[in-house]
Amino acid sequence: MSKLTIVPANEASWADLQAIFSVREASRCLCQRFKVEGWIWRDSTLDQRTAALRSQTAAPETSGLVAYLDGEPVAWVAVEPRVAYPKLRTLRVPWSGREEDKDDEGVWSVTCFVVRKGYRGRGLTYELARAVVPYARERGARALEAYAMLTQPGKEITWGELHVGAVQVFEEAGFTEVCRPTLRRVIMRVEFGP
């Protein structure tokens, strides 16, 4: 029986994070897509994104959670106050059909999952989605939201598209649908109260 452990990223070593982010699709972005201001995250260099991720994950208020399977680093989820993602302010998906204070520090966001090859298909994103709920609540979040991908039976979606997580992953973690700003994106949310 495998043992799964999930810890805040500042409790993981940099080597463990590098192992997770060695996944081809994640090794370029390094979870900076919504962090880097400007036109696109590619306006920054790989060295800048690497340094940013290292700093963000080591901070006392770390930027995500790391999953270990039998002691091996296998997956990551980005979760922080929504204001920590300046690029979200300028995108249509998070705000379409909603009137909400973009500067509300009480709302947190789940923006990215990374699962190492060889460990996919084991339900790790489901486990991480369940873990972010108490993690955000215990740190003072009033609400937690995600920008999930709607999958369709028989229609293939690449891993890169699913980095935001699938709707069913968040449903099983207790999130509910807020709105559908596009045909493939669903805003999901958990309310914790005042």
Side-chain angles (χ1 to χ4, degrees), residues 91-99 178-182 187:
L91 298 176
R92 181 175 65 90
V93 166
W95 311 108
S96 183
R98 298 196 300 162
E99 291 295 325
V178 173
C179 64
R180 292 186 181 203
T182 72
I187 306 299

CSV table of all heavy atoms in Angstrom, one decimal, residues 91-99 178-182 187:
chain,number,residue,atom,x,y,z
A,91,LEU,N,-7.2,38.7,-17.3
A,91,LEU,CA,-7.8,37.6,-18.1
A,91,LEU,C,-9.3,37.7,-18.1
A,91,LEU,O,-9.9,38.0,-17.0
A,91,LEU,CB,-7.3,36.3,-17.6
A,91,LEU,CG,-5.8,36.0,-17.7
A,91,LEU,CD1,-5.4,34.7,-17.1
A,91,LEU,CD2,-5.3,36.1,-19.2
A,92,ARG,N,-10.0,37.2,-19.1
A,92,ARG,CA,-11.4,37.2,-19.2
A,92,ARG,C,-12.0,36.1,-18.4
A,92,ARG,O,-13.1,36.3,-17.7
A,92,ARG,CB,-11.8,37.1,-20.7
A,92,ARG,CG,-13.3,37.1,-20.9
A,92,ARG,CD,-13.7,37.1,-22.4
A,92,ARG,NE,-13.3,35.8,-23.0
A,92,ARG,CZ,-14.1,34.8,-23.1
A,92,ARG,NH1,-15.3,34.8,-22.6
A,92,ARG,NH2,-13.6,33.7,-23.8
A,93,VAL,N,-11.4,34.9,-18.4
A,93,VAL,CA,-12.0,33.7,-17.8
A,93,VAL,C,-12.4,34.0,-16.3
A,93,VAL,O,-13.5,33.7,-15.9
A,93,VAL,CB,-11.1,32.5,-18.0
A,93,VAL,CG1,-11.6,31.4,-17.0
A,93,VAL,CG2,-11.1,32.0,-19.4
A,94,PRO,N,-11.5,34.5,-15.4
A,94,PRO,CA,-11.9,34.6,-14.0
A,94,PRO,C,-13.0,35.6,-13.7
A,94,PRO,O,-13.7,35.4,-12.7
A,94,PRO,CB,-10.6,35.0,-13.3
A,94,PRO,CG,-9.5,34.7,-14.3
A,94,PRO,CD,-10.1,34.8,-15.6
A,95,TRP,N,-13.3,36.5,-14.6
A,95,TRP,CA,-14.2,37.6,-14.3
A,95,TRP,C,-15.5,37.6,-15.2
A,95,TRP,O,-16.4,38.3,-14.9
A,95,TRP,CB,-13.5,38.9,-14.5
A,95,TRP,CG,-12.2,38.9,-13.7
A,95,TRP,CD1,-10.9,38.8,-14.3
A,95,TRP,CD2,-12.0,38.8,-12.3
A,95,TRP,NE1,-10.0,38.8,-13.3
A,95,TRP,CE2,-10.6,38.8,-12.1
A,95,TRP,CE3,-12.9,38.8,-11.2
A,95,TRP,CZ2,-10.1,38.7,-10.8
A,95,TRP,CZ3,-12.3,38.7,-10.0
A,95,TRP,CH2,-10.9,38.7,-9.8
A,96,SER,N,-15.5,36.8,-16.2
A,96,SER,CA,-16.7,36.8,-17.1
A,96,SER,C,-18.0,36.5,-16.4
A,96,SER,O,-18.1,35.5,-15.7
A,96,SER,CB,-16.4,35.8,-18.3
A,96,SER,OG,-17.5,35.9,-19.2
A,97,GLY,N,-18.9,37.4,-16.4
A,97,GLY,CA,-20.2,37.2,-15.8
A,97,GLY,C,-20.2,37.4,-14.3
A,97,GLY,O,-21.2,37.1,-13.6
A,98,ARG,N,-19.1,38.0,-13.8
A,98,ARG,CA,-19.0,38.2,-12.3
A,98,ARG,C,-18.6,39.6,-12.0
A,98,ARG,O,-17.7,40.1,-12.7
A,98,ARG,CB,-18.0,37.2,-11.7
A,98,ARG,CG,-18.3,35.8,-11.8
A,98,ARG,CD,-17.4,34.9,-10.9
A,98,ARG,NE,-16.0,35.1,-11.0
A,98,ARG,CZ,-15.1,34.7,-10.1
A,98,ARG,NH1,-15.6,34.2,-9.0
A,98,ARG,NH2,-13.8,34.8,-10.3
A,99,GLU,N,-19.2,40.2,-11.0
A,99,GLU,CA,-18.8,41.4,-10.5
A,99,GLU,C,-18.2,41.2,-9.1
A,99,GLU,O,-18.9,40.8,-8.2
A,99,GLU,CB,-20.0,42.4,-10.4
A,99,GLU,CG,-20.6,42.8,-11.7
A,99,GLU,CD,-19.6,43.7,-12.5
A,99,GLU,OE1,-18.9,44.5,-11.9
A,99,GLU,OE2,-19.6,43.6,-13.7
A,178,VAL,N,-19.6,28.1,-10.3
A,178,VAL,CA,-20.1,29.5,-10.2
A,178,VAL,C,-20.6,30.0,-11.6
A,178,VAL,O,-21.6,30.6,-11.6
A,178,VAL,CB,-18.9,30.4,-9.7
A,178,VAL,CG1,-19.3,31.9,-9.8
A,178,VAL,CG2,-18.4,30.0,-8.3
A,179,CYS,N,-19.8,29.7,-12.6
A,179,CYS,CA,-20.2,30.1,-14.0
A,179,CYS,C,-19.3,29.4,-15.0
A,179,CYS,O,-18.3,28.8,-14.6
A,179,CYS,CB,-20.1,31.6,-14.1
A,179,CYS,SG,-18.5,32.3,-14.0
A,180,ARG,N,-19.8,29.5,-16.2
A,180,ARG,CA,-19.0,29.0,-17.4
A,180,ARG,C,-18.7,30.1,-18.3
A,180,ARG,O,-19.5,30.4,-19.3
A,180,ARG,CB,-19.8,27.9,-18.1
A,180,ARG,CG,-20.1,26.7,-17.2
A,180,ARG,CD,-20.7,25.6,-18.0
A,180,ARG,NE,-20.9,24.4,-17.1
A,180,ARG,CZ,-21.1,23.2,-17.5
A,180,ARG,NH1,-21.1,22.9,-18.8
A,180,ARG,NH2,-21.3,22.2,-16.6
A,181,PRO,N,-17.5,30.7,-18.2
A,181,PRO,CA,-17.2,31.8,-19.0
A,181,PRO,C,-16.8,31.5,-20.5
A,181,PRO,O,-16.9,32.3,-21.3
A,181,PRO,CB,-16.0,32.4,-18.3
A,181,PRO,CG,-15.4,31.3,-17.5
A,181,PRO,CD,-16.5,30.4,-17.1
A,182,THR,N,-16.5,30.2,-20.7
A,182,THR,CA,-16.2,29.7,-22.1
A,182,THR,C,-16.8,28.3,-22.2
A,182,THR,O,-17.3,27.7,-21.2
A,182,THR,CB,-14.7,29.6,-22.4
A,182,THR,OG1,-14.1,28.6,-21.7
A,182,THR,CG2,-14.0,31.0,-22.1
A,187,ILE,N,-15.7,28.1,-13.7
A,187,ILE,CA,-15.2,28.7,-12.4
A,187,ILE,C,-15.9,27.9,-11.3
A,187,ILE,O,-17.1,27.8,-11.2
A,187,ILE,CB,-15.6,30.2,-12.3
A,187,ILE,CG1,-15.1,31.0,-13.5
A,187,ILE,CG2,-15.0,30.7,-11.0
A,187,ILE,CD1,-13.7,31.0,-13.7
